[in-house]
Amino acid sequence: MKSMVNEPTTTRYQIVASMTPDELLSEGYANFDDFYDSAQSEWKKEAAFDEEETRKNTKSEEYYNQYYEEF
């Protein structure tokens, strides 16, 4: 006869949802491509380009010196 004990059942989804990315990778539930975000990669490229353009632009330094006030 089977015992009728009310034990909570934990689903596989609940376990995976509570794991960190490192745990997911080490346990084999995910791979590095699952964490790649192409939009973030594009954003980083654009930010680096904007930063380089700002450094090249001497007017931005003049503007900075004229309007920046240190608190």
Side-chain angles (χ1 to χ4, degrees), residues 6-19:
N6 284 338
E7 293 182 16
T9 56
T10 304
T11 65
R12 183 181 179 119
Y13 172 77
Q14 289 171 319
I15 293 171
V16 171
S18 66
M19 296 174 82

Side-chain angles (χ1 to χ4, degrees), residues 2-9:
K2 205 173 195 184
S3 169
M4 299 295 278
V5 177
N6 284 338
E7 293 182 16
T9 56

